[in-house]
Amino acid sequence: MIRGVVLEKARILVQGIVQGVGFRPTVYRLAREQGLKGSVRNLGNMVEIILLGEREDIENFARNLQQNKPPISKISSLKIEWKDAEISESSAEESSEYSEFKILESSANFSGSSVIPPDVATCEACLSEINSSTDRRYSYPFTACTDCGPRFTVIESIPYDRERTSMEEFPLCPSCEVEYTNPEDRRYHAEATCCPQCGPEVFLYDKNSGKGKWDVENPIKEAAQLLDEGKILAIKGIGGTHLVCKVTDDQPVLELRKRLKRFNQPFACMSPDLETVQKFARVSPREEKVLTSRRRPIVVLKKSDDYFFAPSVAPELHNIGIMLPYSGLQHLLFKYTDEPAYIMTSANMPGEPMLIHNKEIINSLDGIADYYLLHNRRIVNRCDDSVVRFRGDDLAFIRRSRGYVPEPYDLSHFSKDLNVLALGPEIDVTFSLLKDGNCYPSQHIGDTSKYATYQYLQEAIEYMMGITQTENLDVVACDLHPQFFTTELARKMAQEYSCPVLPVQHHHAHAAALAVDVGVSEMICIAADGVGYGQDGTAWGGETIHINLEDENADYQRLGSLMPQKMAGGDLCTKYPARMLVSMLQDYYEESDLRQLLMNEYIDYFPHGKTEIGMVLKQLERDFNVGITTSTGRVLDALSAALHICGERTYEGECAMKLESVAYKGSDRLSIPFEIRKFQGRDVLDTSLILKEALDYQQKGENASDIALAAQKAVAHGLGALGIRAAEKTGTDVIGGSGGVFYNEAISLAIKDYVEKQNYRFVQHQNSCAGDGSVSLGQAAIAAIKYR
């Protein structure tokens, strides 16, 4: 600066993911490099920067900050407020306030919501220290800095400072204190930083023999040896606990399945590095990028021809979920083994919350885990591993949780001042909280029909409202289903906060979530999944829905669906899909011929054999205990049963997933036609015809893989045709796909191809879940529009 020049004062407010990510040290370094004076501090919901300098220098600083922000930060807005006061350089030098650039203590005196950073994988710099025998953090599993480590899982309250995290229980030693207070150090205000002298410790525990805590020098090395011997371990991590065993031997995998009573569901695995993964799985460039990213989700990969894991790891599937290590402990575990991977599955019963407390882990997993590798850092927030899958080049979230949550979606174009709580469906639940235009999705919650998960949902809501400083609610949104536990909770919370409840139809919410994700207002959504409570009280799941988010009521119009099918025994059809065969084929066979077909080909798929077949036929004849569904999931399940692929669902989506895996091996040489009919004034796809054609091919002796491929394509093209007809009626040029069926790569790509060949734009979820994990996002968007 030139002596005698008049300086200007500016206040810069930065919002986004700017706390706990090394943002203030970056501001400090950039300001000093440009010779600017002033200060920076956290305000809880933003970072405040006060600068004194020439206007051009301050504007350059703002540009540099956006270009050189820390790697895990995200700037959603940066506003410069120019102050009236002009100060001469000589006056500034005499003022202690502007003698240098300072980092000030955080202020808790703020209003508004705060964006909490997600947990991120151990960075290369920390990993290098862990692996360096001369470093003081050598082999220390909790090594972290401002660029990596736990965030969401350790934060108690805001502003995000160490004393408001579970790391408060571990006072810094003198060496760590020096790093923590030095703005030039990458551990400056790294709230999770620690070392072997002052941080958490890991220990091995044996309950079965009564030995308790093992007195060993290297518990992680001992744990790896136990795993290699075929033992099953419970390993406490960043946001929960994994059950772990080796993948190259069937015996421990089968034993784990027996103990968990999880006999067929595929297990997710962790492998030490990309090079090892490429020995057993195919990894595309886009999959590689996500797999190795700092977010480290589980990525569903195709098994390669050289796949060599035990058959029981991911039985009868062509793909497998793989993740790379994201904590120091996990990296160290693989240091002491030659195993190519370990099973790393959540240590909880399906749909229930992850175990996070040491006593709870030891007691709840008694009889399941042989040993326990635990630590004494408290987990504040449970957070399951995220799961993604690619359909061609398009990423889809199966579960959006660790590494991503609670990064908000921007719904400020719908509302900037409404407080909306959206509770999602009932299974695969997340909730979303809209505050100040930001919509914060929760971590994966699970099946709220289970009491423990229902309690966990309420605890997570209380935490999210606290961390975002949400003191009141303007509306609570929920599913249209009147008997869901989340619907009951919506009524309860609406009464507590004296606000209305907004029930949102399930597929309407799917469509809205997709629209928000891809940034469109109007579209036709092909909503294809297992089930969603329909406006008419039946089970929907294969719908073409028109939405326009610019409409003040944000309503929807159902323009088409799959042909309604009967469900003999209601939900029993979801477990035993051969029951769907009966109803779907009854118009194509005489009763005696259908009975004979079922007796000859599918009797093993009915638990009570001949008696049950007769009972199902009578139920259909008398319309007794018979539901109605347009579900795509039920059609795929019926095809799976018809082709002798899967006759009983033991985990969510099993029959359809195995159908996809059989079809994956198929040759595209058969063709199954589809027909669109009219039903009650709307277009419907005749799914019975597709099933009958598939059976005809089977009776001719055609290969099951080829038939499965052709049948999936017929369903896909039929759904695409329904979407195009709806688009023609409404003049809409965008068609989208949402719902669990869009995790099926073959169906997804076939619909996309069919639609785009007719010159329509086809969109899919990119940063949200195609399945029920983002229903709450759609509910929140619809509520924001209706009540703005």
Side-chain angles (χ1 to χ4, degrees), residues 17 47 78 145 183 335:
I17 300 177
V47 167
L78 185 151
C145 69
K335 179 180 178 180

Side-chain angles (χ1 to χ4, degrees), residues 124 192 194 209 212 224 358 444 481 629 719 755:
E124 289 300 319
C194 55
S209 69
N358 288 349
H444 172 73
H481 198 298
T629 185
L719 285 168
V755 166

Side-chain angles (χ1 to χ4, degrees), residues 306-322:
D306 298 322
Y307 177 80
F308 56 87
F309 290 4
S312 54
V313 174
E316 301 178 61
L317 297 177
H318 72 291
N319 47 24
I320 184 169
I322 299 292

Side-chain angles (χ1 to χ4, degrees), residues 25-37 57 61 64-65 68 101 184:
T26 299
V27 169
Y28 175 86
R29 287 191 290 271
L30 289 175
R32 286 173 64 91
E33 285 170 9
Q34 291 187 229
L36 295 169
K37 312 298 183 184
D57 289 337
F61 167 86
N64 287 339
L65 180 59
N68 300 291
F101 193 88
E184 301 289 348

Side-chain angles (χ1 to χ4, degrees), residues 183-302:
E184 301 289 348
D185 195 286
R186 81 174 201 277
R187 289 194 168 91
Y188 177 79
H189 274 266
E191 311 308 349
T193 192
C194 55
C195 75
Q197 301 304 312
C198 62
E201 65 174 15
V202 65
F203 57 93
L204 196 59
Y205 192 90
D206 176 7
K207 181 181 182 182
N208 297 329
S209 69
K211 189 175 181 180
K213 188 174 176 181
W214 281 24
D215 184 16
V216 291
E217 183 180 349
N218 192 334
I220 299 174
K221 183 177 181 179
E222 293 286 342
Q225 290 173 353
L226 289 167
L227 288 168
D228 291 351
E229 291 169 10
K231 303 300 183 185
I232 296 168
L233 268 70
I235 300 181
K236 184 180 177 183
I238 288 177
T241 307
H242 289 111
L243 284 167
V244 185
C245 72
K246 64 194 297 187
V247 299
T248 53
D249 184 355
D250 244 341
Q251 193 278 326
V253 184
L254 291 172
E255 184 60 30
L256 178 59
R257 290 196 176 282
K258 178 182 172 184
R259 294 178 187 182
L260 282 174
K261 295 181 173 58
R262 201 183 297 172
F263 298 106
N264 296 297
Q265 189 171 357
F267 286 131
C269 300
M270 180 177 285
S271 207
D273 50 50
L274 178 64
E275 184 181 5
T276 304
V277 175
Q278 290 170 330
K279 293 177 181 178
F280 59 80
R282 297 176 183 172
V283 186
S284 73
R286 291 209 64 192
E287 288 168 336
E288 177 181 332
K289 185 177 179 180
V290 175
L291 192 67
T292 58
S293 72
R294 62 175 61 93
R295 300 178 187 270
R296 293 289 163 98
I298 296 168
V299 182
V300 179
L301 302 171
K302 296 180 180 72

Side-chain angles (χ1 to χ4, degrees), residues 383-431:
C383 205
D384 286 80
D385 296 315
S386 294
V387 186
V388 304
R389 183 181 178 185
F390 281 85
R391 296 82 38 93
D393 287 332
D394 293 330
L395 179 146
F397 279 90
I398 296 173
R399 182 194 298 152
R400 189 179 183 274
S401 200
R402 178 191 48 77
Y404 299 90
V405 164
E407 282 185 11
Y409 297 94
D410 182 6
L411 299 190
S412 59
H413 50 298
F414 297 142
S415 173
K416 292 183 179 178
D417 53 11
L418 276 176
N419 292 346
V420 177
L421 176 64
L423 295 177
E426 184 168 63
I427 299 174
D428 285 339
V429 164
T430 68
F431 68 87

